[in-house]
Amino acid sequence: MDFPMFHLDWLNNRMLIAGIATLHVIINHGLAVGFIPLVTWLEQKGLKRSGANQITDLEWDEKVYKMMKVAFIITTTIGAMTGVGIWFSASLISPSSIGSLIRVFYWAWFTEWIVFVTEVVLIMIYFLTWKNSNKSLRAKIRHIRFGWFLSLASWITMTIIVAILGFMMDPGNWNSNPNLINGFTNPLYLPQLAFRTPMAMLMAGVFGLLLATIFTKYGTEIRKDAVKSISKWIILWAPFTLFGAFWYYKAIPEGMTANMSTAVGTIDFAQYYGLLKYFIIGGVSLSVVIAVIGLFKAKVIRPYMVVLPVVFAFAFLGFFERVREFVRKPYVIGQYMYSNLLLEEDMVVYQQDGILKHATYTSVNEVTEDNKLEAGKNVFMLACSRCHTGQGVNSVVDVFERMTGTKDTLNVAIMAAYMPNMHTGRNYMPPFPGNEAEAEALAIYIRHLQDSGESIEGVQTEGVMVSSDYTVKAVINKQNKTNDNEDDK
Amino acid sequence: MKMINSLLISLQTNIPTPVPKDLPLPLPLPEWLLIIILVISFLAHLVFVNLMLGGTLLTLWSQIKGLKDKKYDLLAKEIASTITVNKSIAVVLGVAPLLSINVLYTVYFYSANALTGLVWIAVIPLVTIAFLLTYLHKYTWKVFENNKAIHISFLGLATVILLFIPFIFLTNINLMMFPEKWAVVKGFFNAMMLPNVFPRYFHFLFASLAVTGLFLFWYMSRKNYEFENLLPGFTRYDIQKKGYSLALIASICQMLMGPIVLLTLPAKGMGWNLILVIFTGVAMALPAMWMMWKGLQASRENIGKNFYKVVTLMTITVVFMGSGRQIYRANALEPHQKLVKLRTEEFQKIKKEAIVKSKRAQAAENSADLSLADKGKKVFNQNCAACHKPKEMLVGPPVTEMATIYKDNKTDLINWIKKPGKKRPNAPQMPGFPQISDEDMSTLTEYILTINES
């Protein structure tokens, strides 16, 4: 909360991170981790298909190269930039949490970065030397070996990042012993890796099937062979994906239940879990159906048929990431930092003194009779704006209207009375970080939002106000006073 | 304290300068080591950014020239093939300095990011589009052979975007050094107008051209580069000369731009340590420039004689300039960082006291001899008060209503609380509370049923 608050009042702040991150994961899993081994495997198949005086089946090799070109262009542009985008968006929306994580996991990310540099160099070599390697058998074999190295590097990147993600999901370790080892040893690590790996292969298969049908002509022998090969790949990985999903699915709720202060699985959680199950089963079986058709009736498959499984596989991964993020609540870092970026251990101070008193970026530092609306706005920005908007997605007005069943006129007294206890009934909500006067001011502001339809501006357009208690002048004066007092003693 | 005080005098103005708290976590490494990692990794990243931008500009120039003179079109194609590789390395090398600046200057960097938020996040889609355009340009050379205007416009658009991106970074990196400006800045374009952004931009632009000039000299001088096949209209010497000339002219422009950059920097970060480092850097560049000049005068065979010496000296210059940049930042932020530290410590102290106080209060409450009704009330407040008030409808019905419905029927009430259903169409369904222990449940329901209507 001690950062100027960037705010998107229509889109919702979390959505910005989620959109960028989900796109990144889809590209990373579908077009890097899973796709490179698929392409290398297909490239290797070209050697077996070659005639007596050929190095490789050149027509086949050309098609595989085209598939790789698509993956290369997408991963090195949208893939790479959304990766950076996760950092950028996190620094805007969630500075305290990403800042804290980097202070602790600097080395983890640094190591991941080194593997990542290796990966980029390898993908450059693999893709850019493809055509030249077709000049001799030795060069071709070496090229294929590069493909396998690259596959390994992509997978290692994932094993490290999953450890960091695993740590973030892991209950309680932050306070006792925050280090990367806990990421690798936490109960969610292996299930998550066991799910993500075959999932990546499966997605790559579906995506590969789409590309293979696009790049080959209907009725040709080469399309039939390509469809058959990739179908086999999909069928091979499907059971592993289901197994991994099942293992992971079993692992999360338990891990998260332990994380919750009150062990209630709320209605919202239950719904999401239920839906996820259908998404997983649906996504995998749709891929398998198309793969089985591809295996036995390869001729039938057309590009448009594969579009649906591709969309479904992507949707399901997106949904999976959403659930993974959602189960963290009310925390962003388990039992350390709430999703509104306030530390659990600071809560006692805020409830005692009020949050405004300790905030740097606020236009008022105390609720008075005259400033309730403005105070409420500041409290909203500090305590609610990471997850709620005024008028957009997950708007605070909407949730109160839905909850209290009052469409037209929200009741300030009811809202103010609700806030101090809301986290017990809605345990994905952090406790209200403020005193009674601030709860009332917030309620008044929410009512005002309902009446006025006003949207809330973030610092990116409005700039910041600085609390008069925490300007350089005020801090120095206070310091001098303390020193003088000490001198007097 | 007197010392800090005098350091801080310069920070006192009429515009309030905020003193936020820092994250209460230690740095993962000693500060000096992080600074070394930051400076080195940033320079490595920057060199490839220079090559990407310089390459794009030269390709554009060359391809436009190629409209009249076909050989320049071939040269453009050759330079274009280096852009996409350099851009990928530039991006991946950017991660390490980004991590390091996040950890070292958390408060400053994130605050500047937020204040320029929309344009800051626009870096991601903009750069993505520019990258896609460079691929489109690279892989459609044949397709648009007879439609050069369209083909060149792909690259033109990419160039415009890539020329704008440095403004975003420079604005942010500039703004983070001046917390005293945070309260006056309203949005990115406002922050961009702070002094020093534009001079630094041009300084950066000339650096890109100088680095790219040297790069092309090396790239096209390589023995295994099939120069005669790829660039039939040119001799190797032509290109070498062009590379050196570009590097030399751009370096001279750098020298002219440098003092303006220094003079437009606010005084607060100036110091003799900075001046010393910058001028040592300049001193290293001078002989390199002399050698380039000599190379240009020399015979065909000897033009590249001192090439590696030039590169080495220029690299040293770059390291000194990068260090100078860091020294200014450190000088400028030091007093403010001290205040932030003070404030962070103060808050930790307040927190410790508050925790002790609340623990004491809790202990007193627990040890107090509570009546059964009070115990029930406590469970109620913990679990139910969010949605239920004694007499009014809140999210759920008032407690008095429960007391009426379940009068003399404690078991059903307990069952309902453990596993509720849905009764009212206008209110949300109550979540179940299986975690309330039997004992608590008993006192809770006792409390609910005995609550007095009066």
Side-chain angles (χ1 to χ4, degrees), chain A residues 2 76 103 106 113 124 264 345-346 358 360 403 414 418 421 424 470 472 478 483, chain B residues 1 17 19 21 25 88 92 100 106 113 135 187 343 346 351 382 386 394 428 432:
Chain A
D2 236 12
T76 58
R103 292 240 173 140
Y106 183 79
W113 171 68
M124 291 287 159
V264 203
E345 56 179 22
D346 293 352
H358 294 282
T360 309
M403 197 177 68
I414 286 184
Y418 172 74
N421 293 306
T424 59
Y470 303 114
V472 163
K478 199 172 163 206
N483 286 337
Chain B
M1 204 56 222
T17 306
V19 183
K21 308 191 279 285
L25 293 165
S88 281
V92 70
S100 304
T106 316
N113 291 173
Y135 277 124
R343 163 118 203 258
E346 192 202 3
K351 184 202 317 190
Q382 266 171 10
L394 193 55

mmCIF file of all heavy atoms in Angstrom, chain A residues 2 76 103 106 113 124 264 345-346 358 360 403 414 418 421 424 470 472 478 483, chain B residues 1 17 19 21 25 88 92 100 106 113 135 187 343 346 351 382 386 394 428 432:
data_model
loop_
_atom_site.group_PDB
_atom_site.id
_atom_site.type_symbol
_atom_site.label_atom_id
_atom_site.label_comp_id
_atom_site.label_asym_id
_atom_site.label_seq_id
_atom_site.Cartn_x
_atom_site.Cartn_y
_atom_site.Cartn_z
ATOM 1 N N ASP A 2 2.144 1.113 0.197
ATOM 2 C CA ASP A 2 2.949 2.321 0.260
ATOM 3 C C ASP A 2 3.529 2.684 -1.093
ATOM 4 O O ASP A 2 4.595 3.272 -1.187
ATOM 5 C CB ASP A 2 4.034 2.179 1.314
ATOM 6 C CG ASP A 2 3.917 3.314 2.313
ATOM 7 O OD1 ASP A 2 2.890 3.997 2.272
ATOM 8 O OD2 ASP A 2 4.838 3.521 3.092
ATOM 9 N N THR A 76 9.184 -15.895 -29.833
ATOM 10 C CA THR A 76 10.182 -14.840 -29.641
ATOM 11 C C THR A 76 9.572 -13.435 -29.698
ATOM 12 O O THR A 76 10.280 -12.454 -29.504
ATOM 13 C CB THR A 76 11.318 -14.919 -30.692
ATOM 14 O OG1 THR A 76 10.739 -14.826 -31.986
ATOM 15 C CG2 THR A 76 12.103 -16.194 -30.551
ATOM 16 N N ARG A 103 12.744 -9.994 -3.443
ATOM 17 C CA ARG A 103 13.769 -9.911 -2.381
ATOM 18 C C ARG A 103 14.136 -11.300 -1.879
ATOM 19 O O ARG A 103 15.272 -11.552 -1.524
ATOM 20 C CB ARG A 103 13.236 -9.083 -1.216
ATOM 21 C CG ARG A 103 13.075 -7.627 -1.580
ATOM 22 C CD ARG A 103 13.897 -6.712 -0.748
ATOM 23 N NE ARG A 103 13.785 -5.358 -1.293
ATOM 24 C CZ ARG A 103 13.692 -4.264 -0.559
ATOM 25 N NH1 ARG A 103 13.721 -4.346 0.752
ATOM 26 N NH2 ARG A 103 13.598 -3.095 -1.136
ATOM 27 N N TYR A 106 15.338 -13.764 -5.384
ATOM 28 C CA TYR A 106 16.231 -13.172 -6.365
ATOM 29 C C TYR A 106 17.049 -14.247 -7.069
ATOM 30 O O TYR A 106 17.127 -14.294 -8.289
ATOM 31 C CB TYR A 106 17.143 -12.178 -5.660
ATOM 32 C CG TYR A 106 18.076 -11.449 -6.594
ATOM 33 C CD1 TYR A 106 17.615 -10.395 -7.353
ATOM 34 C CD2 TYR A 106 19.415 -11.823 -6.711
ATOM 35 C CE1 TYR A 106 18.460 -9.719 -8.213
ATOM 36 C CE2 TYR A 106 20.261 -11.157 -7.569
ATOM 37 C CZ TYR A 106 19.789 -10.104 -8.312
ATOM 38 O OH TYR A 106 20.624 -9.431 -9.165
ATOM 39 N N TRP A 113 16.758 -17.168 -15.118
ATOM 40 C CA TRP A 113 17.142 -16.278 -16.207
ATOM 41 C C TRP A 113 18.309 -16.862 -17.013
ATOM 42 O O TRP A 113 18.326 -16.813 -18.240
ATOM 43 C CB TRP A 113 17.496 -14.898 -15.654
ATOM 44 C CG TRP A 113 18.111 -13.986 -16.655
ATOM 45 C CD1 TRP A 113 17.495 -13.436 -17.740
ATOM 46 C CD2 TRP A 113 19.467 -13.543 -16.696
ATOM 47 N NE1 TRP A 113 18.384 -12.675 -18.444
ATOM 48 C CE2 TRP A 113 19.598 -12.716 -17.829
ATOM 49 C CE3 TRP A 113 20.575 -13.762 -15.875
ATOM 50 C CZ2 TRP A 113 20.800 -12.105 -18.161
ATOM 51 C CZ3 TRP A 113 21.771 -13.148 -16.202
ATOM 52 C CH2 TRP A 113 21.878 -12.341 -17.339
ATOM 53 N N MET A 124 17.593 -19.901 -31.181
ATOM 54 C CA MET A 124 18.149 -19.168 -32.318
ATOM 55 C C MET A 124 18.951 -20.127 -33.195
ATOM 56 O O MET A 124 18.790 -20.174 -34.412
ATOM 57 C CB MET A 124 19.086 -18.060 -31.843
ATOM 58 C CG MET A 124 18.403 -16.928 -31.136
ATOM 59 S SD MET A 124 17.513 -15.958 -32.319
ATOM 60 C CE MET A 124 16.380 -15.166 -31.240
ATOM 61 N N VAL A 264 -13.583 -23.114 5.929
ATOM 62 C CA VAL A 264 -14.782 -23.283 5.120
ATOM 63 C C VAL A 264 -14.427 -23.237 3.649
ATOM 64 O O VAL A 264 -13.762 -22.331 3.199
ATOM 65 C CB VAL A 264 -15.749 -22.101 5.349
ATOM 66 C CG1 VAL A 264 -17.154 -22.520 4.982
ATOM 67 C CG2 VAL A 264 -15.644 -21.603 6.752
ATOM 68 N N GLU A 345 0.585 -9.104 9.574
ATOM 69 C CA GLU A 345 1.046 -8.656 10.883
ATOM 70 C C GLU A 345 0.855 -7.153 11.111
ATOM 71 O O GLU A 345 0.901 -6.690 12.242
ATOM 72 C CB GLU A 345 2.516 -9.049 11.091
ATOM 73 C CG GLU A 345 3.425 -8.515 10.013
ATOM 74 C CD GLU A 345 4.890 -8.890 10.251
ATOM 75 O OE1 GLU A 345 5.118 -9.871 10.974
ATOM 76 O OE2 GLU A 345 5.751 -8.192 9.723
ATOM 77 N N ASP A 346 0.638 -6.398 10.021
ATOM 78 C CA ASP A 346 0.400 -4.959 10.182
ATOM 79 C C ASP A 346 -1.049 -4.660 10.535
ATOM 80 O O ASP A 346 -1.380 -3.538 10.927
ATOM 81 C CB ASP A 346 0.731 -4.202 8.887
ATOM 82 C CG ASP A 346 2.219 -4.234 8.566
ATOM 83 O OD1 ASP A 346 2.981 -4.710 9.425
ATOM 84 O OD2 ASP A 346 2.606 -3.806 7.473
ATOM 85 N N HIS A 358 -1.390 5.740 8.633
ATOM 86 C CA HIS A 358 -0.074 5.200 8.283
ATOM 87 C C HIS A 358 0.194 5.185 6.784
ATOM 88 O O HIS A 358 1.217 4.669 6.343
ATOM 89 C CB HIS A 358 0.079 3.799 8.857
ATOM 90 C CG HIS A 358 0.105 3.795 10.349
ATOM 91 N ND1 HIS A 358 1.212 4.138 11.075
ATOM 92 C CD2 HIS A 358 -0.863 3.528 11.252
ATOM 93 C CE1 HIS A 358 0.941 4.069 12.367
ATOM 94 N NE2 HIS A 358 -0.318 3.710 12.501
ATOM 95 N N THR A 360 1.086 6.689 3.121
ATOM 96 C CA THR A 360 1.868 7.799 2.574
ATOM 97 C C THR A 360 1.066 8.554 1.521
ATOM 98 O O THR A 360 1.058 9.774 1.494
ATOM 99 C CB THR A 360 3.150 7.268 1.926
ATOM 100 O OG1 THR A 360 3.801 6.420 2.870
ATOM 101 C CG2 THR A 360 4.074 8.404 1.538
ATOM 102 N N MET A 403 -25.173 -9.004 -2.627
ATOM 103 C CA MET A 403 -25.179 -9.643 -1.312
ATOM 104 C C MET A 403 -26.369 -9.214 -0.466
ATOM 105 O O MET A 403 -26.993 -10.030 0.195
ATOM 106 C CB MET A 403 -23.885 -9.314 -0.587
ATOM 107 C CG MET A 403 -23.631 -10.245 0.559
ATOM 108 S SD MET A 403 -22.065 -9.870 1.300
ATOM 109 C CE MET A 403 -22.405 -8.304 2.009
ATOM 110 N N ILE A 414 -25.709 -0.802 7.123
ATOM 111 C CA ILE A 414 -25.491 -2.242 6.949
ATOM 112 C C ILE A 414 -24.082 -2.513 6.443
ATOM 113 O O ILE A 414 -23.368 -3.369 6.955
ATOM 114 C CB ILE A 414 -26.539 -2.824 5.969
ATOM 115 C CG1 ILE A 414 -27.895 -2.913 6.666
ATOM 116 C CG2 ILE A 414 -26.114 -4.199 5.477
ATOM 117 C CD1 ILE A 414 -28.971 -3.554 5.833
ATOM 118 N N TYR A 418 -21.105 -4.473 8.333
ATOM 119 C CA TYR A 418 -20.630 -5.728 7.731
ATOM 120 C C TYR A 418 -19.106 -5.797 7.663
ATOM 121 O O TYR A 418 -18.499 -6.833 7.923
ATOM 122 C CB TYR A 418 -21.238 -5.837 6.341
ATOM 123 C CG TYR A 418 -20.718 -6.971 5.517
ATOM 124 C CD1 TYR A 418 -21.117 -8.278 5.799
ATOM 125 C CD2 TYR A 418 -19.846 -6.757 4.456
ATOM 126 C CE1 TYR A 418 -20.649 -9.330 5.041
ATOM 127 C CE2 TYR A 418 -19.375 -7.797 3.699
ATOM 128 C CZ TYR A 418 -19.774 -9.087 3.989
ATOM 129 O OH TYR A 418 -19.303 -10.119 3.240
ATOM 130 N N ASN A 421 -16.464 -7.571 10.035
ATOM 131 C CA ASN A 421 -16.561 -9.027 10.200
ATOM 132 C C ASN A 421 -16.607 -9.789 8.890
ATOM 133 O O ASN A 421 -16.770 -10.994 8.879
ATOM 134 C CB ASN A 421 -17.821 -9.366 10.999
ATOM 135 C CG ASN A 421 -17.721 -8.876 12.415
ATOM 136 O OD1 ASN A 421 -16.764 -9.188 13.109
ATOM 137 N ND2 ASN A 421 -18.684 -8.068 12.822
ATOM 138 N N THR A 424 -14.982 -13.259 8.133
ATOM 139 C CA THR A 424 -15.392 -14.523 8.743
ATOM 140 C C THR A 424 -16.452 -15.217 7.902
ATOM 141 O O THR A 424 -16.471 -16.429 7.792
ATOM 142 C CB THR A 424 -15.935 -14.305 10.167
ATOM 143 O OG1 THR A 424 -17.049 -13.413 10.085
ATOM 144 C CG2 THR A 424 -14.881 -13.737 11.067
ATOM 145 N N TYR A 470 3.793 12.470 6.195
ATOM 146 C CA TYR A 470 4.917 11.731 5.634
ATOM 147 C C TYR A 470 5.587 12.442 4.467
ATOM 148 O O TYR A 470 6.018 11.835 3.508
ATOM 149 C CB TYR A 470 4.481 10.314 5.242
ATOM 150 C CG TYR A 470 3.915 9.579 6.418
ATOM 151 C CD1 TYR A 470 2.577 9.213 6.462
ATOM 152 C CD2 TYR A 470 4.714 9.306 7.531
ATOM 153 C CE1 TYR A 470 2.046 8.568 7.563
ATOM 154 C CE2 TYR A 470 4.193 8.671 8.641
ATOM 155 C CZ TYR A 470 2.862 8.310 8.661
ATOM 156 O OH TYR A 470 2.361 7.684 9.758
ATOM 157 N N VAL A 472 8.854 14.863 3.355
ATOM 158 C CA VAL A 472 10.235 14.969 3.834
ATOM 159 C C VAL A 472 10.307 15.947 5.016
ATOM 160 O O VAL A 472 10.923 15.667 6.046
ATOM 161 C CB VAL A 472 11.162 15.420 2.690
ATOM 162 C CG1 VAL A 472 12.490 15.932 3.229
ATOM 163 C CG2 VAL A 472 11.415 14.269 1.733
ATOM 164 N N LYS A 478 9.925 15.726 12.700
ATOM 165 C CA LYS A 478 9.620 14.749 13.740
ATOM 166 C C LYS A 478 10.920 14.162 14.298
ATOM 167 O O LYS A 478 11.082 14.005 15.500
ATOM 168 C CB LYS A 478 8.763 13.645 13.125
ATOM 169 C CG LYS A 478 8.028 12.850 14.170
ATOM 170 C CD LYS A 478 7.041 11.906 13.526
ATOM 171 C CE LYS A 478 6.662 10.869 14.540
ATOM 172 N NZ LYS A 478 6.239 9.628 13.904
ATOM 173 N N ASN A 483 15.055 13.807 18.544
ATOM 174 C CA ASN A 483 16.450 13.978 18.952
ATOM 175 C C ASN A 483 16.585 15.002 20.066
ATOM 176 O O ASN A 483 17.323 14.798 21.033
ATOM 177 C CB ASN A 483 17.302 14.403 17.763
ATOM 178 C CG ASN A 483 17.528 13.240 16.816
ATOM 179 O OD1 ASN A 483 17.439 12.076 17.237
ATOM 180 N ND2 ASN A 483 17.784 13.538 15.563
ATOM 181 N N MET B 1 23.112 13.079 13.389
ATOM 182 C CA MET B 1 21.851 13.601 12.848
ATOM 183 C C MET B 1 22.068 14.907 12.101
ATOM 184 O O MET B 1 21.447 15.149 11.080
ATOM 185 C CB MET B 1 20.902 13.821 14.028
ATOM 186 C CG MET B 1 19.450 13.799 13.586
ATOM 187 S SD MET B 1 19.054 12.271 12.734
ATOM 188 C CE MET B 1 18.064 12.889 11.396
ATOM 189 N N THR B 17 7.437 16.208 -0.744
ATOM 190 C CA THR B 17 8.150 15.020 -1.216
ATOM 191 C C THR B 17 7.774 13.865 -0.321
ATOM 192 O O THR B 17 8.006 13.915 0.886
ATOM 193 C CB THR B 17 9.660 15.248 -1.146
ATOM 194 O OG1 THR B 17 9.966 16.432 -1.860
ATOM 195 C CG2 THR B 17 10.412 14.088 -1.728
ATOM 196 N N VAL B 19 7.688 10.385 1.747
ATOM 197 C CA VAL B 19 8.641 9.426 2.319
ATOM 198 C C VAL B 19 7.884 8.133 2.613
ATOM 199 O O VAL B 19 7.339 7.962 3.696
ATOM 200 C CB VAL B 19 9.258 9.957 3.626
ATOM 201 C CG1 VAL B 19 10.298 8.966 4.156
ATOM 202 C CG2 VAL B 19 9.898 11.305 3.414
ATOM 203 N N LYS B 21 7.229 3.978 3.187
ATOM 204 C CA LYS B 21 7.948 2.885 3.857
ATOM 205 C C LYS B 21 8.473 1.931 2.800
ATOM 206 O O LYS B 21 7.881 1.764 1.757
ATOM 207 C CB LYS B 21 6.994 2.060 4.739
ATOM 208 C CG LYS B 21 6.164 2.815 5.700
ATOM 209 C CD LYS B 21 5.487 1.839 6.658
ATOM 210 C CE LYS B 21 4.238 1.195 6.091
ATOM 211 N NZ LYS B 21 3.082 2.084 6.051
ATOM 212 N N LEU B 25 11.919 -6.251 4.279
ATOM 213 C CA LEU B 25 12.691 -7.465 3.997
ATOM 214 C C LEU B 25 14.101 -7.067 3.608
ATOM 215 O O LEU B 25 14.296 -6.070 2.921
ATOM 216 C CB LEU B 25 12.067 -8.230 2.833
ATOM 217 C CG LEU B 25 10.696 -8.852 3.065
ATOM 218 C CD1 LEU B 25 10.067 -9.250 1.738
ATOM 219 C CD2 LEU B 25 10.806 -10.059 3.980
ATOM 220 N N SER B 88 15.983 -10.439 -29.899
ATOM 221 C CA SER B 88 15.691 -11.531 -28.967
ATOM 222 C C SER B 88 16.676 -11.530 -27.808
ATOM 223 O O SER B 88 16.300 -11.725 -26.652
ATOM 224 C CB SER B 88 15.757 -12.882 -29.676
ATOM 225 O OG SER B 88 14.580 -13.078 -30.404
ATOM 226 N N VAL B 92 15.938 -10.885 -23.684
ATOM 227 C CA VAL B 92 16.276 -11.845 -22.627
ATOM 228 C C VAL B 92 17.338 -11.267 -21.689
ATOM 229 O O VAL B 92 17.312 -11.488 -20.478
ATOM 230 C CB VAL B 92 16.675 -13.219 -23.222
ATOM 231 C CG1 VAL B 92 17.998 -13.161 -23.938
ATOM 232 C CG2 VAL B 92 16.682 -14.272 -22.138
ATOM 233 N N SER B 100 17.282 -6.772 -10.873
ATOM 234 C CA SER B 100 18.173 -6.094 -9.947
ATOM 235 C C SER B 100 17.661 -4.714 -9.566
ATOM 236 O O SER B 100 17.762 -4.307 -8.409
ATOM 237 C CB SER B 100 19.575 -5.987 -10.545
ATOM 238 O OG SER B 100 20.035 -7.283 -10.893
ATOM 239 N N THR B 106 13.308 -0.669 -5.108
ATOM 240 C CA THR B 106 11.895 -1.063 -5.103
ATOM 241 C C THR B 106 10.958 0.139 -5.028
ATOM 242 O O THR B 106 10.090 0.321 -5.878
ATOM 243 C CB THR B 106 11.631 -1.984 -3.903
ATOM 244 O OG1 THR B 106 12.689 -2.924 -3.819
ATOM 245 C CG2 THR B 106 10.317 -2.712 -4.051
ATOM 246 N N ASN B 113 6.923 3.654 -12.093
ATOM 247 C CA ASN B 113 6.117 2.806 -12.982
ATOM 248 C C ASN B 113 4.639 3.160 -12.868
ATOM 249 O O ASN B 113 3.942 3.329 -13.869
ATOM 250 C CB ASN B 113 6.255 1.317 -12.615
ATOM 251 C CG ASN B 113 7.617 0.750 -12.921
ATOM 252 O OD1 ASN B 113 7.904 -0.376 -12.572
ATOM 253 N ND2 ASN B 113 8.469 1.525 -13.543
ATOM 254 N N TYR B 135 9.630 -9.231 -38.209
ATOM 255 C CA TYR B 135 9.572 -10.563 -38.833
ATOM 256 C C TYR B 135 8.821 -10.498 -40.153
ATOM 257 O O TYR B 135 9.227 -11.083 -41.149
ATOM 258 C CB TYR B 135 8.874 -11.572 -37.910
ATOM 259 C CG TYR B 135 9.793 -12.155 -36.860
ATOM 260 C CD1 TYR B 135 9.482 -12.065 -35.508
ATOM 261 C CD2 TYR B 135 10.961 -12.838 -37.219
ATOM 262 C CE1 TYR B 135 10.304 -12.610 -34.548
ATOM 263 C CE2 TYR B 135 11.795 -13.388 -36.262
ATOM 264 C CZ TYR B 135 11.459 -13.275 -34.916
ATOM 265 O OH TYR B 135 12.275 -13.818 -33.966
ATOM 266 N N GLY B 187 0.594 11.732 -15.039
ATOM 267 C CA GLY B 187 0.644 10.937 -16.253
ATOM 268 C C GLY B 187 1.990 10.984 -16.963
ATOM 269 O O GLY B 187 2.859 11.793 -16.647
ATOM 270 N N ARG B 343 11.722 5.862 8.361
ATOM 271 C CA ARG B 343 10.275 5.693 8.426
ATOM 272 C C ARG B 343 9.923 4.210 8.526
ATOM 273 O O ARG B 343 9.038 3.813 9.289
ATOM 274 C CB ARG B 343 9.647 6.327 7.176
ATOM 275 C CG ARG B 343 8.252 5.894 6.901
ATOM 276 C CD ARG B 343 7.230 6.996 6.947
ATOM 277 N NE ARG B 343 5.924 6.423 7.203
ATOM 278 C CZ ARG B 343 4.992 6.232 6.278
ATOM 279 N NH1 ARG B 343 5.209 6.640 5.049
ATOM 280 N NH2 ARG B 343 3.849 5.679 6.597
ATOM 281 N N GLU B 346 10.589 3.030 11.967
ATOM 282 C CA GLU B 346 9.623 3.587 12.907
ATOM 283 C C GLU B 346 8.334 2.784 12.881
ATOM 284 O O GLU B 346 7.758 2.454 13.925
ATOM 285 C CB GLU B 346 9.345 5.052 12.545
ATOM 286 C CG GLU B 346 8.587 5.781 13.624
ATOM 287 C CD GLU B 346 7.849 7.003 13.085
ATOM 288 O OE1 GLU B 346 7.893 7.241 11.863
ATOM 289 O OE2 GLU B 346 7.220 7.700 13.894
ATOM 290 N N LYS B 351 4.488 -1.186 15.129
ATOM 291 C CA LYS B 351 3.832 -2.477 14.967
ATOM 292 C C LYS B 351 4.118 -3.385 16.165
ATOM 293 O O LYS B 351 3.213 -3.999 16.717
ATOM 294 C CB LYS B 351 4.321 -3.142 13.681
ATOM 295 C CG LYS B 351 3.605 -4.438 13.414
ATOM 296 C CD LYS B 351 4.330 -5.409 12.520
ATOM 297 C CE LYS B 351 4.982 -4.805 11.328
ATOM 298 N NZ LYS B 351 5.457 -5.797 10.380
ATOM 299 N N GLN B 382 -17.447 -13.793 16.188
ATOM 300 C CA GLN B 382 -16.385 -14.296 15.311
ATOM 301 C C GLN B 382 -16.940 -14.847 14.005
ATOM 302 O O GLN B 382 -16.343 -14.681 12.952
ATOM 303 C CB GLN B 382 -15.612 -15.412 16.012
ATOM 304 C CG GLN B 382 -14.383 -14.886 16.725
ATOM 305 C CD GLN B 382 -13.756 -15.943 17.597
ATOM 306 O OE1 GLN B 382 -14.121 -17.122 17.534
ATOM 307 N NE2 GLN B 382 -12.822 -15.539 18.421
ATOM 308 N N ALA B 386 -20.829 -10.913 10.795
ATOM 309 C CA ALA B 386 -20.665 -10.289 9.481
ATOM 310 C C ALA B 386 -22.008 -10.161 8.769
ATOM 311 O O ALA B 386 -22.258 -9.188 8.066
ATOM 312 C CB ALA B 386 -19.702 -11.099 8.628
ATOM 313 N N LEU B 394 -29.533 -7.957 7.941
ATOM 314 C CA LEU B 394 -28.272 -7.460 7.374
ATOM 315 C C LEU B 394 -28.138 -8.205 6.054
ATOM 316 O O LEU B 394 -28.969 -8.030 5.174
ATOM 317 C CB LEU B 394 -27.136 -7.741 8.350
ATOM 318 C CG LEU B 394 -25.806 -7.049 8.126
ATOM 319 C CD1 LEU B 394 -25.985 -5.551 8.052
ATOM 320 C CD2 LEU B 394 -24.812 -7.348 9.239
ATOM 321 N N PRO B 428 -28.454 -14.144 -0.353
ATOM 322 C CA PRO B 428 -27.570 -15.224 -0.790
ATOM 323 C C PRO B 428 -27.613 -16.398 0.186
ATOM 324 O O PRO B 428 -28.001 -16.232 1.345
ATOM 325 C CB PRO B 428 -26.195 -14.567 -0.773
ATOM 326 C CG PRO B 428 -26.301 -13.459 0.202
ATOM 327 C CD PRO B 428 -27.715 -12.989 0.180
ATOM 328 N N GLY B 432 -21.689 -22.948 4.933
ATOM 329 C CA GLY B 432 -21.746 -23.862 6.070
ATOM 330 C C GLY B 432 -20.636 -23.573 7.066
ATOM 331 O O GLY B 432 -19.597 -23.034 6.713
#
